[in-house]
Amino acid sequence: MGIALIAHGGAGKWRPGSDDDALAGLTAAVEAGRRILAAGGSSLDAVCATVVALEDNPIYNAGTGAVLNFDGFCELDACVMESREARAGAVSGLQRAKNPILVARKVMEETDHVMLTGDGAQRFARVMGFPDHDPITPERRADWFDKRNRLDEVLGKHALRMRRFLQDHPEYAGGTVGAAAVDSHGVLAAATSTGGVTLKMVGRVGDSPVPGAGNYACARVAASATGTGEFVLRSLATRAVAERVERGESLAASMEAVLEGLGRDYDADVGLIAVDATGMPVARHRTRDMPHAWFCGDGPVAARMRA
Ligand code: ASP
């Protein structure tokens, strides 16, 4: 079986001058996953190690450095899924966690549940031994002040619908992280972690923690989505890719068809990464940028801003 791993750093429009940092962070994260897979380790361990490296890098919108919600605090979402027995674990609305993906993995491994949210997720994280961690960085706090000022200018106090504002300011989107891998035993896994969309309403849950929407793994495909999560939730995009692959379409054609549908139906700003069971990594997106890095077999890690 060929091993492979692909990771993304979020669909959107990265700020001018940030490409090198985005690609360096992804390359280092994929190298961490590659070491595990090359030593015969599991795809689950590999995608978690990759996502942890990205969560710990403050330039991405996940873990430390996640974006703030409308009220100015973080609500972190994450999901991990493995093809064996379709096991999945997820958290949403975590406020004080360093690595939400590891809490999601504990939900999968240590409970009867698939998703824990809000206070319950936070309490569970503590019980599992994860110390409280403030993910807010000074840069994100400053961004938040800037956005709130502009938002008040544009929308006044009626700020329940942020999408238009974010369309006009695509530089504020992106930075979610995700990884998909297949290991030497043919087991597939996917992991996705995010602070969600910037200025989201308190309590908003996106696609990233929902299996089949922002994150999915089955015997044929592992995939992670990024972009405005409401579109991914409504289309169950990662599961939709898997269904096409199960019907015999190639992975690339399946991803293109799903993104084409998202474009037709919603003009959605969405991207996808995936690997199939043969060890083929693919990235596709409808946004200007989606930094991603990958390797397959014993090849080197490659990284690009655009597919
Ligand atoms: N999909 C994420 C969410 O909606 C955001 C992103 O990928 O940029 O929460």
Side-chain angles (χ1 to χ4, degrees), residues 210-260:
V210 179
N215 194 71
Y216 190 67
C218 63
R220 304 290 297 277
V221 185
S224 170
T226 168
T228 301
E230 281 69 16
F231 301 128
V232 179
L233 278 167
R234 286 152 79 183
S235 59
L236 296 177
T238 54
R239 175 63 203 148
V241 168
E243 265 163 31
R244 286 177 171 272
V245 172
E246 284 164 5
R247 287 204 300 266
E249 285 178 37
S250 76
L251 181 58
S254 301
M255 292 163 71
E256 283 157 16
V258 168
L259 287 177
E260 198 184 301

Side-chain angles (χ1 to χ4, degrees), residues 106 120-132:
K106 287 286 186 196
Q122 194 68 57
R123 272 167 49 191
F124 173 74
R126 286 181 195 129
V127 169
M128 288 294 119
F130 296 104
D132 280 14

Side-chain angles (χ1 to χ4, degrees), residues 10-11 61 77 173-176 194-197 204 206-208 225-230 232:
N61 170 20
D77 299 341
T176 291
T194 187
V197 291
R204 179 263 191 188
D207 60 308
S208 307
T226 168
T228 301
E230 281 69 16
V232 179

